[in-house]
Amino acid sequence: MSRNAESTAFRSALEVIRAVEPRVADAIGAELTDQRESLKLIASENYASPATLLAMGNWFSDKYAEGTVGRRFYAGCQNVDTVEALAAEHARELFGAAHAYVQPHSGIDANLVAFWAVLADRVESPALKKAQVRQVNDLTEADWFALRRELGNQRMLGMSLDAGGHLTHGFRPNISGKMFDQRSYGTDPTTGLIDYDRVAEAAREFKPLILVGGYSAYPRKVNFRILREIADSVGATFMVDMAHFAGLVAGKVFTGDFDPVPHAHIVTTTTHKSLRGPRGGMVLCQPELADQVDRGCPMVLGGPLPHVMAAKAVALAEARRPDFADYAQRIVDNAQALAEGLLSRGATLVTGGTDNHLVLIDVSGYGLTGRQAEQALLDSGIVTNRNSVPQDPSGAWYTSGIRIGTPALTTRGLGTAEMDQTAELIHTVLTQTTAGANADGTPSKAKYTLDPGLADKVAGQATDLLATYPLYPGVDLS
Ligand code: PLP
């Protein structure tokens, strides 16, 4: 692809937008500048390719396409069928999955589709059976009452939020925690690792309908073969949310016991994190759940977004290329170099290191909360996010952790040497930041002091580090 073509495409698009609402064109341009200038260590973000971005900005967005390929509730969906079928085919081939549903608009939506599919497949309910075969009008008020009671009172066992699980794995403020009677499994307090015997014990006691594996902030590999055995031993459906590490599965860094696809009944993911596609979600499943999963829209989801499915097809085609495996390996090499760099300078890391794309720093060792550390790093041009650590004394809002991840910087081309320099910058900021106090003299969880001169100096060093690795080098908007 010539650099000229990319520049021309984005420049022309901005010109067209500018003619209608120049402030939007300006904001889009400013966002590119900001992204180019920041050292992005947010573990859940990445930079999609120009081809993926361009596949989203077109008239596919105008089309309604409820239903699935070849079975739509709207006429004229032949071209949507083409891109949806392509995206699903790439997903099946890439992950070795029996079935792929590429319509979910996000990871949370993909999880809702999966929950519905498992409930519909597993819950023994005569009322539900009637509803499924579209005899909805035959259902009495008593049937509806029974159906709500049966569907709304099932059990889910997932990883706890402070051990690295996601909100949608049954955490109370999320709909999953309200729909399901939920218990969670944590990690070993000494090692920070999943204790599979404890998970098995919790499963035996609780007998969940769904056992959820997967995480947002666990820096290690998960043995999905063992989790499947645990699920089987109690008759649970095994669901894995691989939103964070889908790119490592796609790039064959996680194989065998650590690849969820052969082990889980159903796998959900986002497409925009380590997988480096457009913002969106997907569900992969075994054949027996395919029918229910395909009911995602309109059962759970609003109308599919054909322009995003087109972009998913492009990004998944990219992930099937051999160089994606190299990218995935470099993500992990970089995360390990970053972890080493931090450890050698005295930082405390949850689990003492990483096997994947993320590192979780326990910043209480620096006398800070996650909130203070996140803000001080941001002042210094380093973008991270605060995150709970196991048994976090500062709670889910302030937290004691900083989560950092390498998918985005690896896309820019930074390598292990730059990760060591990044570790130095992070360590410098955290050692030079001091926790502040409230007006009444009590320790504040939010206030901090950091010499602005030092913050500026680090921000300059971060910019220098990025200068050799331009973001979207083919895009010149000037
Ligand atoms: N599942 C996991 C494990 C996640 O980490 C996230 C996002 O952070 C999601 C689901 C939700 O994804 P989305 O923001 O696309 O809905």
PDB file of all heavy atoms in Angstrom, residues 44 105-111 164-169 213-217 241-245 268-273 279-281 403, ligand 1:
ATOM      1  N   SER A  44      -5.916  -2.321  27.007  1.00  0.00           N
ATOM      2  CA  SER A  44      -7.075  -2.702  26.188  1.00  0.00           C
ATOM      3  C   SER A  44      -7.157  -1.926  24.884  1.00  0.00           C
ATOM      4  O   SER A  44      -8.128  -2.068  24.153  1.00  0.00           O
ATOM      5  CB  SER A  44      -8.355  -2.478  27.001  1.00  0.00           C
ATOM      6  OG  SER A  44      -8.353  -1.170  27.544  1.00  0.00           O
ATOM      7  N   HIS A 105     -21.742  -5.634  19.032  1.00  0.00           N
ATOM      8  CA  HIS A 105     -21.181  -4.297  18.864  1.00  0.00           C
ATOM      9  C   HIS A 105     -20.003  -4.057  19.794  1.00  0.00           C
ATOM     10  O   HIS A 105     -19.285  -3.075  19.628  1.00  0.00           O
ATOM     11  CB  HIS A 105     -22.253  -3.247  19.145  1.00  0.00           C
ATOM     12  CG  HIS A 105     -23.518  -3.484  18.373  1.00  0.00           C
ATOM     13  ND1 HIS A 105     -24.741  -3.039  18.776  1.00  0.00           N
ATOM     14  CD2 HIS A 105     -23.739  -4.135  17.222  1.00  0.00           C
ATOM     15  CE1 HIS A 105     -25.655  -3.400  17.903  1.00  0.00           C
ATOM     16  NE2 HIS A 105     -25.076  -4.073  16.959  1.00  0.00           N
ATOM     17  N   SER A 106     -19.863  -4.900  20.786  1.00  0.00           N
ATOM     18  CA  SER A 106     -18.774  -4.708  21.753  1.00  0.00           C
ATOM     19  C   SER A 106     -18.603  -5.997  22.553  1.00  0.00           C
ATOM     20  O   SER A 106     -19.386  -6.947  22.377  1.00  0.00           O
ATOM     21  CB  SER A 106     -19.121  -3.555  22.705  1.00  0.00           C
ATOM     22  OG  SER A 106     -20.120  -3.998  23.604  1.00  0.00           O
ATOM     23  N   GLY A 107     -17.618  -5.994  23.431  1.00  0.00           N
ATOM     24  CA  GLY A 107     -17.377  -7.179  24.252  1.00  0.00           C
ATOM     25  C   GLY A 107     -18.516  -7.452  25.218  1.00  0.00           C
ATOM     26  O   GLY A 107     -18.903  -8.602  25.454  1.00  0.00           O
ATOM     27  N   ILE A 108     -19.065  -6.402  25.803  1.00  0.00           N
ATOM     28  CA  ILE A 108     -20.167  -6.585  26.750  1.00  0.00           C
ATOM     29  C   ILE A 108     -21.370  -7.180  26.011  1.00  0.00           C
ATOM     30  O   ILE A 108     -22.040  -8.088  26.509  1.00  0.00           O
ATOM     31  CB  ILE A 108     -20.509  -5.244  27.437  1.00  0.00           C
ATOM     32  CG1 ILE A 108     -19.394  -4.893  28.436  1.00  0.00           C
ATOM     33  CG2 ILE A 108     -21.865  -5.293  28.125  1.00  0.00           C
ATOM     34  CD1 ILE A 108     -19.614  -3.633  29.241  1.00  0.00           C
ATOM     35  N   ASP A 109     -21.621  -6.689  24.818  1.00  0.00           N
ATOM     36  CA  ASP A 109     -22.734  -7.237  24.035  1.00  0.00           C
ATOM     37  C   ASP A 109     -22.494  -8.709  23.700  1.00  0.00           C
ATOM     38  O   ASP A 109     -23.415  -9.523  23.713  1.00  0.00           O
ATOM     39  CB  ASP A 109     -22.903  -6.449  22.732  1.00  0.00           C
ATOM     40  CG  ASP A 109     -23.410  -5.041  22.967  1.00  0.00           C
ATOM     41  OD1 ASP A 109     -23.431  -4.622  24.128  1.00  0.00           O
ATOM     42  OD2 ASP A 109     -23.774  -4.358  21.995  1.00  0.00           O
ATOM     43  N   ALA A 110     -21.254  -9.039  23.376  1.00  0.00           N
ATOM     44  CA  ALA A 110     -20.939 -10.437  23.055  1.00  0.00           C
ATOM     45  C   ALA A 110     -21.223 -11.320  24.276  1.00  0.00           C
ATOM     46  O   ALA A 110     -21.767 -12.429  24.153  1.00  0.00           O
ATOM     47  CB  ALA A 110     -19.477 -10.567  22.631  1.00  0.00           C
ATOM     48  N   ASN A 111     -20.894 -10.806  25.469  1.00  0.00           N
ATOM     49  CA  ASN A 111     -21.159 -11.598  26.670  1.00  0.00           C
ATOM     50  C   ASN A 111     -22.654 -11.782  26.895  1.00  0.00           C
ATOM     51  O   ASN A 111     -23.106 -12.864  27.284  1.00  0.00           O
ATOM     52  CB  ASN A 111     -20.492 -10.950  27.892  1.00  0.00           C
ATOM     53  CG  ASN A 111     -18.986 -11.177  27.882  1.00  0.00           C
ATOM     54  OD1 ASN A 111     -18.488 -11.984  27.110  1.00  0.00           O
ATOM     55  ND2 ASN A 111     -18.273 -10.459  28.729  1.00  0.00           N
ATOM     56  N   GLY A 164      -8.932  -9.701  38.808  1.00  0.00           N
ATOM     57  CA  GLY A 164      -8.686  -9.469  37.380  1.00  0.00           C
ATOM     58  C   GLY A 164      -9.867  -9.788  36.479  1.00  0.00           C
ATOM     59  O   GLY A 164      -9.794  -9.608  35.274  1.00  0.00           O
ATOM     60  N   GLY A 165     -10.975 -10.284  37.070  1.00  0.00           N
ATOM     61  CA  GLY A 165     -12.165 -10.580  36.255  1.00  0.00           C
ATOM     62  C   GLY A 165     -12.794  -9.300  35.722  1.00  0.00           C
ATOM     63  O   GLY A 165     -12.371  -8.191  36.056  1.00  0.00           O
ATOM     64  N   HIS A 166     -13.809  -9.466  34.872  1.00  0.00           N
ATOM     65  CA  HIS A 166     -14.468  -8.296  34.283  1.00  0.00           C
ATOM     66  C   HIS A 166     -15.838  -8.103  34.923  1.00  0.00           C
ATOM     67  O   HIS A 166     -16.457  -9.047  35.404  1.00  0.00           O
ATOM     68  CB  HIS A 166     -14.614  -8.491  32.765  1.00  0.00           C
ATOM     69  CG  HIS A 166     -15.096  -7.257  32.060  1.00  0.00           C
ATOM     70  ND1 HIS A 166     -16.358  -7.138  31.553  1.00  0.00           N
ATOM     71  CD2 HIS A 166     -14.479  -6.078  31.806  1.00  0.00           C
ATOM     72  CE1 HIS A 166     -16.503  -5.944  30.997  1.00  0.00           C
ATOM     73  NE2 HIS A 166     -15.374  -5.286  31.139  1.00  0.00           N
ATOM     74  N   LEU A 167     -16.292  -6.852  34.891  1.00  0.00           N
ATOM     75  CA  LEU A 167     -17.622  -6.479  35.410  1.00  0.00           C
ATOM     76  C   LEU A 167     -18.718  -7.435  34.968  1.00  0.00           C
ATOM     77  O   LEU A 167     -19.634  -7.753  35.723  1.00  0.00           O
ATOM     78  CB  LEU A 167     -18.004  -5.113  34.834  1.00  0.00           C
ATOM     79  CG  LEU A 167     -17.515  -3.859  35.500  1.00  0.00           C
ATOM     80  CD1 LEU A 167     -17.970  -2.660  34.682  1.00  0.00           C
ATOM     81  CD2 LEU A 167     -18.089  -3.771  36.906  1.00  0.00           C
ATOM     82  N   THR A 168     -18.636  -7.860  33.705  1.00  0.00           N
ATOM     83  CA  THR A 168     -19.709  -8.685  33.133  1.00  0.00           C
ATOM     84  C   THR A 168     -19.629 -10.144  33.557  1.00  0.00           C
ATOM     85  O   THR A 168     -20.430 -10.950  33.097  1.00  0.00           O
ATOM     86  CB  THR A 168     -19.659  -8.637  31.595  1.00  0.00           C
ATOM     87  OG1 THR A 168     -18.336  -8.981  31.188  1.00  0.00           O
ATOM     88  CG2 THR A 168     -20.015  -7.260  31.070  1.00  0.00           C
ATOM     89  N   HIS A 169     -18.672 -10.482  34.408  1.00  0.00           N
ATOM     90  CA  HIS A 169     -18.569 -11.869  34.857  1.00  0.00           C
ATOM     91  C   HIS A 169     -19.330 -12.069  36.161  1.00  0.00           C
ATOM     92  O   HIS A 169     -18.975 -12.918  36.963  1.00  0.00           O
ATOM     93  CB  HIS A 169     -17.101 -12.284  34.991  1.00  0.00           C
ATOM     94  CG  HIS A 169     -16.316 -12.142  33.713  1.00  0.00           C
ATOM     95  ND1 HIS A 169     -14.971 -12.365  33.620  1.00  0.00           N
ATOM     96  CD2 HIS A 169     -16.716 -11.793  32.459  1.00  0.00           C
ATOM     97  CE1 HIS A 169     -14.565 -12.157  32.366  1.00  0.00           C
ATOM     98  NE2 HIS A 169     -15.614 -11.800  31.652  1.00  0.00           N
ATOM     99  N   GLY A 213     -14.300 -18.248  32.424  1.00  0.00           N
ATOM    100  CA  GLY A 213     -12.853 -18.026  32.471  1.00  0.00           C
ATOM    101  C   GLY A 213     -12.557 -16.758  31.682  1.00  0.00           C
ATOM    102  O   GLY A 213     -13.380 -16.312  30.881  1.00  0.00           O
ATOM    103  N   GLY A 214     -11.374 -16.208  31.883  1.00  0.00           N
ATOM    104  CA  GLY A 214     -11.020 -14.973  31.162  1.00  0.00           C
ATOM    105  C   GLY A 214     -10.958 -13.812  32.125  1.00  0.00           C
ATOM    106  O   GLY A 214     -11.436 -13.912  33.260  1.00  0.00           O
ATOM    107  N   TYR A 215     -10.358 -12.718  31.679  1.00  0.00           N
ATOM    108  CA  TYR A 215      -9.994 -11.639  32.601  1.00  0.00           C
ATOM    109  C   TYR A 215      -9.745 -10.334  31.865  1.00  0.00           C
ATOM    110  O   TYR A 215      -9.598 -10.314  30.631  1.00  0.00           O
ATOM    111  CB  TYR A 215      -8.706 -12.039  33.333  1.00  0.00           C
ATOM    112  CG  TYR A 215      -7.599 -12.441  32.365  1.00  0.00           C
ATOM    113  CD1 TYR A 215      -6.856 -11.465  31.708  1.00  0.00           C
ATOM    114  CD2 TYR A 215      -7.335 -13.769  32.089  1.00  0.00           C
ATOM    115  CE1 TYR A 215      -5.862 -11.813  30.802  1.00  0.00           C
ATOM    116  CE2 TYR A 215      -6.338 -14.133  31.172  1.00  0.00           C
ATOM    117  CZ  TYR A 215      -5.608 -13.150  30.534  1.00  0.00           C
ATOM    118  OH  TYR A 215      -4.642 -13.482  29.622  1.00  0.00           O
ATOM    119  N   SER A 216      -9.660  -9.264  32.677  1.00  0.00           N
ATOM    120  CA  SER A 216      -9.230  -7.957  32.167  1.00  0.00           C
ATOM    121  C   SER A 216      -7.868  -7.574  32.731  1.00  0.00           C
ATOM    122  O   SER A 216      -7.216  -6.675  32.209  1.00  0.00           O
ATOM    123  CB  SER A 216     -10.202  -6.862  32.612  1.00  0.00           C
ATOM    124  OG  SER A 216     -11.463  -7.094  32.093  1.00  0.00           O
ATOM    125  N   ALA A 217      -7.511  -8.182  33.840  1.00  0.00           N
ATOM    126  CA  ALA A 217      -6.293  -7.711  34.514  1.00  0.00           C
ATOM    127  C   ALA A 217      -5.576  -8.844  35.265  1.00  0.00           C
ATOM    128  O   ALA A 217      -5.218  -8.691  36.429  1.00  0.00           O
ATOM    129  CB  ALA A 217      -6.647  -6.580  35.482  1.00  0.00           C
ATOM    130  N   ASP A 241     -14.133 -15.561  28.195  1.00  0.00           N
ATOM    131  CA  ASP A 241     -14.116 -14.203  27.647  1.00  0.00           C
ATOM    132  C   ASP A 241     -12.646 -13.874  27.362  1.00  0.00           C
ATOM    133  O   ASP A 241     -11.878 -13.562  28.273  1.00  0.00           O
ATOM    134  CB  ASP A 241     -14.712 -13.249  28.686  1.00  0.00           C
ATOM    135  CG  ASP A 241     -14.706 -11.803  28.225  1.00  0.00           C
ATOM    136  OD1 ASP A 241     -14.056 -11.510  27.205  1.00  0.00           O
ATOM    137  OD2 ASP A 241     -15.328 -10.968  28.906  1.00  0.00           O
ATOM    138  N   MET A 242     -12.273 -13.969  26.074  1.00  0.00           N
ATOM    139  CA  MET A 242     -10.852 -13.732  25.727  1.00  0.00           C
ATOM    140  C   MET A 242     -10.644 -12.324  25.173  1.00  0.00           C
ATOM    141  O   MET A 242      -9.693 -12.083  24.396  1.00  0.00           O
ATOM    142  CB  MET A 242     -10.323 -14.791  24.755  1.00  0.00           C
ATOM    143  CG  MET A 242     -10.976 -14.823  23.395  1.00  0.00           C
ATOM    144  SD  MET A 242     -10.035 -15.930  22.278  1.00  0.00           S
ATOM    145  CE  MET A 242     -10.944 -15.716  20.757  1.00  0.00           C
ATOM    146  N   ALA A 243     -11.526 -11.393  25.577  1.00  0.00           N
ATOM    147  CA  ALA A 243     -11.470 -10.029  25.040  1.00  0.00           C
ATOM    148  C   ALA A 243     -10.050  -9.466  25.050  1.00  0.00           C
ATOM    149  O   ALA A 243      -9.610  -8.853  24.082  1.00  0.00           O
ATOM    150  CB  ALA A 243     -12.391  -9.119  25.845  1.00  0.00           C
ATOM    151  N   HIS A 244      -9.339  -9.673  26.157  1.00  0.00           N
ATOM    152  CA  HIS A 244      -8.007  -9.064  26.265  1.00  0.00           C
ATOM    153  C   HIS A 244      -6.953  -9.776  25.449  1.00  0.00           C
ATOM    154  O   HIS A 244      -6.113  -9.148  24.817  1.00  0.00           O
ATOM    155  CB  HIS A 244      -7.573  -9.003  27.738  1.00  0.00           C
ATOM    156  CG  HIS A 244      -7.741  -7.633  28.295  1.00  0.00           C
ATOM    157  ND1 HIS A 244      -6.725  -6.731  28.337  1.00  0.00           N
ATOM    158  CD2 HIS A 244      -8.836  -7.010  28.758  1.00  0.00           C
ATOM    159  CE1 HIS A 244      -7.174  -5.592  28.822  1.00  0.00           C
ATOM    160  NE2 HIS A 244      -8.453  -5.734  29.087  1.00  0.00           N
ATOM    161  N   PHE A 245      -6.997 -11.099  25.440  1.00  0.00           N
ATOM    162  CA  PHE A 245      -5.850 -11.819  24.874  1.00  0.00           C
ATOM    163  C   PHE A 245      -6.158 -12.511  23.548  1.00  0.00           C
ATOM    164  O   PHE A 245      -5.379 -13.363  23.095  1.00  0.00           O
ATOM    165  CB  PHE A 245      -5.307 -12.830  25.907  1.00  0.00           C
ATOM    166  CG  PHE A 245      -6.352 -13.783  26.435  1.00  0.00           C
ATOM    167  CD1 PHE A 245      -6.579 -14.992  25.821  1.00  0.00           C
ATOM    168  CD2 PHE A 245      -7.120 -13.445  27.533  1.00  0.00           C
ATOM    169  CE1 PHE A 245      -7.530 -15.872  26.295  1.00  0.00           C
ATOM    170  CE2 PHE A 245      -8.090 -14.319  28.022  1.00  0.00           C
ATOM    171  CZ  PHE A 245      -8.291 -15.527  27.405  1.00  0.00           C
ATOM    172  N   THR A 268     -16.159 -15.623  24.012  1.00  0.00           N
ATOM    173  CA  THR A 268     -16.508 -14.271  23.566  1.00  0.00           C
ATOM    174  C   THR A 268     -15.224 -13.447  23.486  1.00  0.00           C
ATOM    175  O   THR A 268     -14.224 -13.764  24.129  1.00  0.00           O
ATOM    176  CB  THR A 268     -17.472 -13.591  24.564  1.00  0.00           C
ATOM    177  OG1 THR A 268     -16.844 -13.575  25.849  1.00  0.00           O
ATOM    178  CG2 THR A 268     -18.796 -14.320  24.635  1.00  0.00           C
ATOM    179  N   THR A 269     -15.296 -12.394  22.691  1.00  0.00           N
ATOM    180  CA  THR A 269     -14.116 -11.530  22.596  1.00  0.00           C
ATOM    181  C   THR A 269     -14.498 -10.138  22.125  1.00  0.00           C
ATOM    182  O   THR A 269     -15.597  -9.936  21.605  1.00  0.00           O
ATOM    183  CB  THR A 269     -13.064 -12.122  21.627  1.00  0.00           C
ATOM    184  OG1 THR A 269     -11.885 -11.313  21.655  1.00  0.00           O
ATOM    185  CG2 THR A 269     -13.557 -12.180  20.192  1.00  0.00           C
ATOM    186  N   THR A 270     -13.583  -9.221  22.333  1.00  0.00           N
ATOM    187  CA  THR A 270     -13.666  -7.952  21.624  1.00  0.00           C
ATOM    188  C   THR A 270     -12.773  -8.106  20.397  1.00  0.00           C
ATOM    189  O   THR A 270     -11.949  -9.024  20.318  1.00  0.00           O
ATOM    190  CB  THR A 270     -13.117  -6.780  22.467  1.00  0.00           C
ATOM    191  OG1 THR A 270     -11.783  -7.102  22.865  1.00  0.00           O
ATOM    192  CG2 THR A 270     -13.972  -6.521  23.685  1.00  0.00           C
ATOM    193  N   THR A 271     -12.916  -7.165  19.449  1.00  0.00           N
ATOM    194  CA  THR A 271     -12.048  -7.237  18.268  1.00  0.00           C
ATOM    195  C   THR A 271     -11.011  -6.119  18.256  1.00  0.00           C
ATOM    196  O   THR A 271     -10.166  -6.073  17.355  1.00  0.00           O
ATOM    197  CB  THR A 271     -12.904  -7.186  16.976  1.00  0.00           C
ATOM    198  OG1 THR A 271     -13.862  -6.145  17.081  1.00  0.00           O
ATOM    199  CG2 THR A 271     -13.622  -8.494  16.762  1.00  0.00           C
ATOM    200  N   HIS A 272     -11.073  -5.221  19.259  1.00  0.00           N
ATOM    201  CA  HIS A 272     -10.252  -4.006  19.168  1.00  0.00           C
ATOM    202  C   HIS A 272      -9.071  -3.966  20.133  1.00  0.00           C
ATOM    203  O   HIS A 272      -8.337  -2.995  20.158  1.00  0.00           O
ATOM    204  CB  HIS A 272     -11.121  -2.773  19.423  1.00  0.00           C
ATOM    205  CG  HIS A 272     -11.985  -2.885  20.647  1.00  0.00           C
ATOM    206  ND1 HIS A 272     -13.243  -3.427  20.615  1.00  0.00           N
ATOM    207  CD2 HIS A 272     -11.776  -2.539  21.932  1.00  0.00           C
ATOM    208  CE1 HIS A 272     -13.774  -3.394  21.825  1.00  0.00           C
ATOM    209  NE2 HIS A 272     -12.899  -2.873  22.647  1.00  0.00           N
ATOM    210  N   LYS A 273      -8.893  -4.999  20.968  1.00  0.00           N
ATOM    211  CA  LYS A 273      -7.782  -4.909  21.927  1.00  0.00           C
ATOM    212  C   LYS A 273      -6.552  -5.544  21.261  1.00  0.00           C
ATOM    213  O   LYS A 273      -6.113  -5.055  20.231  1.00  0.00           O
ATOM    214  CB  LYS A 273      -8.175  -5.577  23.233  1.00  0.00           C
ATOM    215  CG  LYS A 273      -9.438  -4.960  23.874  1.00  0.00           C
ATOM    216  CD  LYS A 273      -9.725  -5.578  25.215  1.00  0.00           C
ATOM    217  CE  LYS A 273     -11.156  -5.464  25.650  1.00  0.00           C
ATOM    218  NZ  LYS A 273     -11.479  -4.279  26.418  1.00  0.00           N
ATOM    219  N   ARG A 279     -13.558  -1.429  16.809  1.00  0.00           N
ATOM    220  CA  ARG A 279     -14.263  -1.644  18.079  1.00  0.00           C
ATOM    221  C   ARG A 279     -15.425  -2.583  17.803  1.00  0.00           C
ATOM    222  O   ARG A 279     -16.245  -2.334  16.919  1.00  0.00           O
ATOM    223  CB  ARG A 279     -14.836  -0.331  18.605  1.00  0.00           C
ATOM    224  CG  ARG A 279     -13.802   0.689  18.953  1.00  0.00           C
ATOM    225  CD  ARG A 279     -14.405   1.709  19.872  1.00  0.00           C
ATOM    226  NE  ARG A 279     -14.549   1.145  21.189  1.00  0.00           N
ATOM    227  CZ  ARG A 279     -13.566   1.099  22.078  1.00  0.00           C
ATOM    228  NH1 ARG A 279     -12.401   1.611  21.808  1.00  0.00           N
ATOM    229  NH2 ARG A 279     -13.770   0.561  23.260  1.00  0.00           N
ATOM    230  N   GLY A 280     -15.510  -3.661  18.565  1.00  0.00           N
ATOM    231  CA  GLY A 280     -16.601  -4.596  18.328  1.00  0.00           C
ATOM    232  C   GLY A 280     -16.410  -5.863  19.121  1.00  0.00           C
ATOM    233  O   GLY A 280     -15.451  -5.993  19.899  1.00  0.00           O
ATOM    234  N   GLY A 281     -17.339  -6.799  18.955  1.00  0.00           N
ATOM    235  CA  GLY A 281     -17.265  -8.068  19.670  1.00  0.00           C
ATOM    236  C   GLY A 281     -17.553  -9.237  18.741  1.00  0.00           C
ATOM    237  O   GLY A 281     -17.964  -9.038  17.586  1.00  0.00           O
ATOM    238  N   ARG A 403      -2.428  -0.700  35.686  1.00  0.00           N
ATOM    239  CA  ARG A 403      -2.349  -1.750  34.666  1.00  0.00           C
ATOM    240  C   ARG A 403      -1.702  -1.161  33.413  1.00  0.00           C
ATOM    241  O   ARG A 403      -2.120  -0.106  32.937  1.00  0.00           O
ATOM    242  CB  ARG A 403      -3.761  -2.238  34.344  1.00  0.00           C
ATOM    243  CG  ARG A 403      -3.791  -3.425  33.411  1.00  0.00           C
ATOM    244  CD  ARG A 403      -5.215  -3.781  33.024  1.00  0.00           C
ATOM    245  NE  ARG A 403      -5.814  -2.760  32.180  1.00  0.00           N
ATOM    246  CZ  ARG A 403      -6.955  -2.899  31.502  1.00  0.00           C
ATOM    247  NH1 ARG A 403      -7.625  -4.025  31.598  1.00  0.00           N
ATOM    248  NH2 ARG A 403      -7.432  -1.925  30.759  1.00  0.00           N
TER     249      ARG A 403
HETATM  250  N1  PLP B   1     -14.662  -8.482  28.578  1.00  0.00           N
HETATM  251  C1  PLP B   1     -13.450  -8.187  29.049  1.00  0.00           C
HETATM  252  C2  PLP B   1     -12.621  -9.274  29.655  1.00  0.00           C
HETATM  253  C3  PLP B   1     -12.964  -6.886  28.983  1.00  0.00           C
HETATM  254  O1  PLP B   1     -11.761  -6.579  29.484  1.00  0.00           O
HETATM  255  C4  PLP B   1     -13.785  -5.873  28.407  1.00  0.00           C
HETATM  256  C5  PLP B   1     -13.342  -4.473  28.291  1.00  0.00           C
HETATM  257  O2  PLP B   1     -12.565  -3.921  28.904  1.00  0.00           O
HETATM  258  C6  PLP B   1     -15.043  -6.242  27.941  1.00  0.00           C
HETATM  259  C7  PLP B   1     -15.452  -7.541  28.035  1.00  0.00           C
HETATM  260  C8  PLP B   1     -15.972  -5.213  27.396  1.00  0.00           C
HETATM  261  O3  PLP B   1     -15.654  -4.822  26.125  1.00  0.00           O
HETATM  262  P1  PLP B   1     -16.413  -3.574  25.454  1.00  0.00           P
HETATM  263  O4  PLP B   1     -15.877  -2.360  26.082  1.00  0.00           O
HETATM  264  O5  PLP B   1     -16.089  -3.707  24.000  1.00  0.00           O
HETATM  265  O6  PLP B   1     -17.874  -3.779  25.690  1.00  0.00           O
END
